């Protein structure tokens, strides 16, 4: 007798089977150095997934600086991989292969902005070198997590409790409809059930920038800002209870030339009210093809003004 649970189970099996066909195992050989043996080969392992004709997306940390990249599909077929782009700042890379097995289609990319905490997701990849795609299930534990270091800035990450192990990096995080909503990127080794994925919308923006400029770039206007909450506004006696407070403006940047100054408050971006710094970053990246972003600025004693700030494009490794 059919039940809602059995129906859901059959649906999940179907989704997993379809998604797994487009997920690959990636093995690499990099050169390392040991004090006794000198230069030695170091083997690495990761995952990836097909997003276009013969094009695979994975983490940059999986394939960057690799001398050998092998791509293995679910049926065991193996192809030489060529690293096209490795954006180490955002941890996104593209790998091409000469051919793919028949019948394998690129995975469908969803909309990570629509993710909700508690939503069921599946991590698909090759953990611990186990052959063939492995699937784990969990929920979206949180969104908007940040991991920022000297050479990497992973912002707006999806946190999930779906089991993630070494080798999962670069694999897709999919929803119950089989749409890719994220790319697995990191685990916390000393925690239980804490893993992170790059939102697929971030990956999409990187792909758009690569298509436009032929290389990974970073879009900016040259400001450091902080979100204003009613509590912050009250504590610092700010004239507005919502917006982005400009903390610093980098000399020589478009924002500097537009006479934006510390203490100014961004109230709207492209005509929409703003309350989170991430909205400014997204707006700048989304407007890269337009070449400018329109801001509404409030300055105490002078009131509101609208300004179109050119976008500065900087190459990243």
């Amino acid at each position: 007798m059919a039940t809602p649970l059995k129906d859901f189970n059959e649906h999940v099996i179907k989704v997993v089977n379809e998604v797994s066909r487009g997920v690959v195992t990636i093995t690499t050989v990099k050169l390392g150095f040991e004090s006794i043996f000198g230069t030695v080969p170091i083997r690495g392992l990761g995952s990836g997934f097909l997003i276009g004709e013969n094009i695979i997306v994975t983490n940059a940390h999986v394939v960057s600086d690799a001398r050998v990249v092998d791509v293995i599909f679910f049926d065991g077929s193996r192809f030489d991989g060529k690293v096209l782009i490795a954006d180490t700042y955002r941890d996104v890379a593209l790998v091409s292969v000469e051919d793919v097995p028949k019948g394998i289609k690129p995975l469908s990319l969803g909309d990570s902005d629509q993710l909700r905490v508690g939503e069921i997701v599946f991590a698909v990849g090759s953990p611990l070198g186990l052959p063939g795609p492995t699937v784990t299930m969990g929920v979206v534990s949180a969104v908007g997590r940040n991991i920022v270091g000297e050479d990497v800035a992973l912002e707006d990450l999806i946190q999930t409790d779906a089991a993630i192990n070494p080798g999962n990096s670069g694999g897709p995080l999919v929803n119950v409809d089989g749409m890719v909503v994220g790319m697995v990127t990191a685990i916390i080794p000393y925690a239980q059930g804490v893993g992170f994925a790059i939102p697929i919308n971030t990956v999409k923006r990187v792909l758009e920038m690569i298509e436009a400029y032929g290389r990974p770039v970073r879009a900016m206007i040259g400001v450091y800002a902080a979100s204003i909450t009613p509590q912050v506004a009250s504590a610092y006696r700010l004239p507005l209870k919502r917006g982005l407070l400009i903390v610093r403006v980098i000399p020589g940047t478009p924002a500097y030339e537009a006479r934006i100054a510390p203490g100014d408050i961004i109230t709207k971006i492209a005509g929409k009210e703003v309350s989170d710094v991430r909205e400014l970053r997204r707006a700048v990246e989304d407007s890269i093809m337009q070449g400018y972003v329109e801001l509404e600025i409030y300055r105490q004693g002078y009131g509101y003004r609208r300004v179109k700030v050119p976008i500065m494009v900087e190459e990243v490794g």
Side-chain angles (χ1 to χ4, degrees):
M1 182 177 67
T3 66
L5 183 58
K6 286 185 178 180
D7 290 342
F8 176 72
N9 186 56
E10 290 300 317
H11 173 75
V12 168
I13 292 173
K14 181 180 178 181
V15 166
V16 167
N17 284 338
E18 291 178 352
V19 169
S20 296
R21 294 174 63 85
V23 178
V24 302
T25 299
I26 297 177
T27 62
T28 62
V29 177
K30 303 181 182 182
L31 295 182
F33 182 82
E34 291 185 356
S35 57
I36 297 178
F37 300 103
T39 302
V40 295
I42 299 176
R43 298 189 180 277
L45 178 70
S47 302
F49 54 98
L50 196 68
I51 62 167
E53 185 177 354
N54 300 357
I55 300 296
I56 291 159
V57 67
T58 185
N59 286 148
H61 77 258
V62 171
V63 297
S64 59
D65 299 324
R67 297 299 182 94
V68 177
V69 177
D70 283 336
V71 176
I72 307 169
F73 283 86
F74 78 103
D75 62 355
S77 56
R78 180 186 296 261
F79 298 91
D80 293 334
K82 179 182 179 182
V83 180
L84 301 177
I85 295 292
D87 182 346
T88 56
Y89 188 74
R90 298 184 185 89
D91 203 17
V92 177
L94 296 181
V95 176
S96 67
V97 291
E98 292 185 358
D99 197 8
V100 299
K102 292 183 179 180
I104 295 182
K105 298 179 181 180
L107 299 190
S108 299
L109 306 185
D111 182 1
S112 52
D113 288 343
Q114 301 302 314
L115 272 179
R116 296 170 295 173
V117 174
E119 188 169 341
I120 295 174
V121 288
F122 306 92
V124 188
S126 304
L128 307 174
L130 297 173
T134 295
V135 180
T136 57
M137 184 177 77
V139 299
V140 174
S141 305
V143 294
R145 299 300 197 198
N146 298 328
I147 300 177
V148 180
E150 182 177 349
D151 300 318
V152 65
L154 303 180
E155 301 176 308
D156 205 18
L157 295 177
I158 303 163
Q159 181 182 326
T160 179
D161 67 346
I164 294 172
N165 292 285
N168 271 115
S169 291
L173 189 74
V174 302
N175 61 18
V176 293
D177 294 319
M179 306 289 286
V180 180
V181 294
M183 179 171 64
V184 174
T185 189
I187 57 173
I188 304 298
Y190 50 81
Q192 294 292 327
V194 180
F196 298 96
I198 300 170
I200 199 61
N201 286 5
T202 298
V203 177
K204 290 179 184 178
R205 283 193 290 271
V206 172
L207 296 177
E208 290 171 359
M209 293 178 188
I210 292 173
E211 184 176 357
Y213 293 92
R215 63 194 188 281
V217 296
R218 178 169 49 181
M220 64 179 69
I221 60 173
V223 300
Y224 290 90
S227 300
I228 297 175
T229 64
Q231 294 79 7
V232 171
S234 176
Y236 291 94
R237 298 182 180 180
L238 298 177
L240 301 178
K241 294 184 178 180
R242 180 172 178 162
L244 303 179
L245 177 65
I246 301 299
V247 178
R248 181 189 171 198
V249 179
I250 302 173
T253 62
Y256 183 86
E257 299 298 330
R259 298 183 179 179
I260 297 175
D264 287 352
I265 297 175
I266 300 175
T267 57
K268 293 182 180 180
I269 302 175
K272 297 181 180 180
E273 292 187 351
V274 60
S275 60
D276 194 304
V277 175
R278 290 173 295 179
E279 295 175 271
L280 174 60
R281 176 182 57 79
R282 288 181 182 179
V284 171
E285 291 187 344
D286 289 344
S287 303
I288 191 170
M289 299 304 298
Q290 179 175 273
Y292 67 89
V293 61
E294 184 174 317
L295 305 178
E296 181 179 88
I297 305 290
Y298 175 84
R299 181 176 294 178
Q300 194 165 4
Y302 294 87
Y304 296 87
R305 69 182 176 106
R306 290 184 179 180
V307 57
K308 291 182 179 180
V309 184
I311 294 173
M312 183 171 65
V313 177
E314 180 182 76
E315 185 171 354
V316 296

